[in-house]
Amino acid sequence: MRYYLYLLIGLSISFVPFSGKAQLLDCDGSFYVSRAIGSDQTMILRGELVDRSSVIWDTITTVNRRLGPMGFSILFNQIIALDEETLDLIKIDRSGETLMGSLRNQIDTNLVYSSGTVTPVGVRFELVGHDPQRGDDVIYYSTRLDRDTLRTGQNAILSPENVQMTDMGFSPVFGLNYAFDRESRKVLQITGSLVSRYNYPSQPTIRQID
């Protein structure tokens, strides 16, 4: 089985009572991973690091979707995730999934989407579009989550060199957006749609972070 790590350490998961069927998640220093089951299911797990040497796993839920990029929204206390096939954007908690809407008419369906996250304040879902023909990332999308209807803006990715981001996430301390580039095997910093490599060292033993 492959595991896909899409959320930053520091995001967590504990049960919070809620008036309704939703069983919300919270932040307490844990992290999430998604695990593909076959071709049409994804399991969401919570990981808690113990004594810096082992991880305790807790299954949150399993959804009948092939999920791609995801992130934790402190606005909803839920995971926001993109369905790779339908391009639906959904919210996930212990009770399962809730459909927020489809991005199919707002993003380029010819691109591949494997890198995305949620902003620190939880109101935007950030997504990178990869062009398989060109072999690099070309468009940076930003979807507003706190409106009745999803609204997505876009900008061309600005980088002096081709990039292939395999995952990205915001630092909860500095509020900066970072990604791992499969091309250079370096950590990148993203400001708007501007990509900077700075002097981050290459990581030759890491091919990609999913």
Side-chain angles (χ1 to χ4, degrees):
M1 294 288 185
R2 293 188 63 189
Y3 285 84
Y4 300 86
L5 177 60
Y6 281 112
L7 305 183
L8 291 175
I9 293 176
L11 302 179
S12 92
I13 244 184
S14 53
F15 173 73
V16 177
F18 181 70
S19 57
K21 294 183 178 180
Q23 299 176 25
L24 304 183
L25 311 175
D26 240 357
C27 290
D28 65 1
S30 303
F31 60 93
Y32 300 109
V33 299
S34 64
R35 175 184 177 184
I37 304 175
S39 60
D40 57 359
Q41 284 189 319
T42 304
M43 180 184 295
I44 306 297
L45 302 100
R46 168 186 180 258
E48 181 179 355
L49 188 63
V50 180
D51 298 327
R52 298 185 178 181
S53 60
S54 60
V55 176
I56 297 176
W57 294 105
D58 175 25
T59 301
I60 301 306
T61 190
T62 298
V63 297
N64 293 321
R65 293 175 180 270
R66 182 75 174 191
L67 296 182
M70 61 179 63
F72 186 89
S73 171
I74 63 171
L75 177 66
F76 302 106
N77 280 353
Q78 293 171 303
I79 296 170
I80 310 299
L82 182 73
D83 185 314
E84 290 183 341
E85 296 180 352
T86 66
L87 300 182
D88 289 340
L89 201 62
I90 63 173
K91 294 188 290 188
I92 300 173
D93 55 35
R94 287 186 181 273
S95 62
E97 66 171 88
T98 302
L99 177 64
M100 299 187 73
S102 176
L103 298 185
R104 180 167 293 278
N105 294 325
Q106 301 189 48
I107 62 178
D108 190 337
T109 57
N110 294 314
L111 301 182
V112 176
Y113 300 97
S114 59
S115 180
T117 190
V118 175
T119 55
V121 293
V123 298
R124 288 187 177 276
F125 182 74
E126 313 284 82
L127 186 65
V128 171
H130 177 81
D131 188 334
Q133 301 298 321
R134 290 176 41 173
D136 65 334
D137 299 336
V138 293
I139 300 180
Y140 190 94
Y141 292 98
S142 181
T143 300
R144 190 73 181 259
L145 303 173
D146 60 342
R147 303 291 175 83
D148 293 337
T149 303
L150 296 176
R151 297 180 181 179
T152 302
Q154 69 179 64
N155 285 293
I157 289 179
L158 303 176
S159 174
E161 301 173 9
N162 288 354
V163 291
Q164 298 181 37
M165 290 176 265
T166 60
D167 193 24
M168 66 178 179
F170 282 89
S171 163
V173 177
F174 303 106
L176 301 175
N177 193 6
Y178 295 95
F180 185 78
D181 178 26
R182 182 169 52 193
E183 187 76 15
S184 65
R185 300 191 182 183
K186 288 185 176 183
V187 174
L188 311 174
Q189 182 176 321
I190 308 167
T191 306
S193 60
L194 176 63
V195 176
S196 305
R197 283 193 172 88
Y198 294 104
N199 294 318
Y200 299 125
S202 177
Q203 304 294 323
T205 60
I206 301 176
R207 176 172 173 77
Q208 68 183 65
I209 302 174
D210 286 329

